Amino acid sequence: MQSTANTETNRSAEVAPEITHSVPWRVVSATALADARLRVTFVDGTSGEVDMRAFLRSPKIEGTIFEALRDATLFAEVQIVMGAVQWPNGADLSPDSMYDAIRDTGTWILD
């Protein structure tokens, strides 16, 4: 009886190179700061702050996915998913708008 086991090694890394971001507005790091703020850095080295204080205090977010971010513990769980800032509950921020504001003024203030 002939063996059907595949004896080749996995060579997928040779076929599909690692994806690198080619647009400057992709986020590479985000750190939660005190009082509903983030420190972010983009693929081109631009960095600055995202100020979400007024946004998270606003009644307009009640009943939305962003309301949960009022909890400092959840807010601190910020992560980068495919170059965008995201939280475990699915809330995310627009990286291109964030980049434009931070490049121009150093801070993106959401209101």
Side-chain angles (χ1 to χ4, degrees):
M1 182 188 238
Q2 231 176 352
S3 172
T4 58
N6 185 355
T7 57
E8 277 189 46
T9 59
N10 182 355
R11 297 178 52 193
S12 61
E14 296 171 21
V15 177
E18 181 179 330
I19 295 173
T20 57
H21 298 295
S22 60
V23 293
W25 47 261
R26 292 288 188 185
V27 180
V28 294
S29 71
T31 304
L33 304 173
D35 203 19
R37 295 173 300 119
L38 299 171
R39 180 79 179 158
V40 296
T41 302
F42 297 89
V43 72
D44 71 349
T46 299
S47 64
E49 192 173 297
V50 177
D51 185 341
M52 298 180 66
R53 292 177 288 192
F55 178 71
L56 293 179
R57 287 187 204 124
S58 172
K60 70 182 177 184
I61 70 160
E62 290 176 11
T64 72
I65 198 166
F66 291 101
E67 184 177 17
L69 298 182
R70 291 175 175 168
D71 176 354
T73 302
L74 179 61
F75 188 84
E77 293 180 29
V78 65
Q79 52 194 321
I80 305 304
V81 177
M82 296 179 62
V85 172
Q86 187 176 52
W87 284 269
N89 70 340
D92 64 354
L93 300 176
S94 171
D96 53 338
S97 296
M98 183 188 311
Y99 176 82
D100 290 343
I102 289 174
R103 185 190 60 216
D104 293 344
T105 66
T107 303
W108 187 34
I109 301 173
L110 282 79
D111 52 10

